[in-house]
């Protein structure tokens, strides 16, 4: 797998992902319950809350990978050269 620190960071990343997903699930359920307590819950409101919770969960899961890919590609977009250095 790699070094020990790499495996520790990977486990931390997985834990943060799962905890974040649980927080999103709990908060979306709380929103649904509070909306249901206020008034009749229409199918449109249910779909809106569930859809936004699913999108938020997907973004929360994919965001670390996107940040890693963006960070690894910066060397191709902006070359890592010292100031004043010319050439290819």
């Amino acid at each position: 797998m790699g070094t020990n620190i790499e495996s520790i960071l990977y486990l931390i990343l997985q834990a943060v992902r799962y905890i974040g997903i649980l927080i999103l699930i709990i908060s979306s359920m709380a929103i649904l319950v509070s909306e249901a307590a206020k008034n009749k819950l229409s199918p449109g409101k249910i779909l809106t809350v569930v859809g936004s919770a699913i999108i938020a969960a997907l973004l929360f899961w994919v965001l670390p990978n996107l940040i890693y890919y963006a960070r690894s590609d910066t060397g191709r977009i902006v070359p890592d050269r010292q100031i004043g250095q010319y050439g290819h």
Side-chain angles (χ1 to χ4, degrees):
M1 172 145 189
T3 62
N4 194 17
I5 189 77
E6 181 182 351
S7 61
I8 291 171
L9 289 175
Y10 182 73
L11 289 174
I12 291 172
L13 172 67
Q14 291 297 328
V16 167
R17 281 180 170 175
Y18 287 121
I19 291 169
I21 297 292
L22 285 173
I23 291 171
L24 286 170
I25 289 170
I26 291 169
S27 62
S28 63
M29 291 302 292
I31 290 171
L32 280 175
V33 168
S34 69
E35 283 292 322
K38 283 186 209 175
N39 52 10
K40 265 187 147 177
L41 208 57
S42 67
K45 284 185 181 180
I46 293 173
L47 289 177
T48 302
V49 172
V50 170
S52 62
I54 289 171
I55 290 173
L58 286 175
L59 287 177
F60 193 83
W61 191 264
V62 173
L63 190 61
N65 291 339
L66 291 177
I67 291 171
Y68 172 75
Y69 293 144
R71 188 181 56 82
S72 65
D73 285 344
T74 56
R76 281 189 259 163
I77 298 169
V78 179
D80 189 19
R81 296 189 185 116
Q82 294 178 354
I83 296 175
Q85 184 180 1
Y86 299 104
H88 300 301

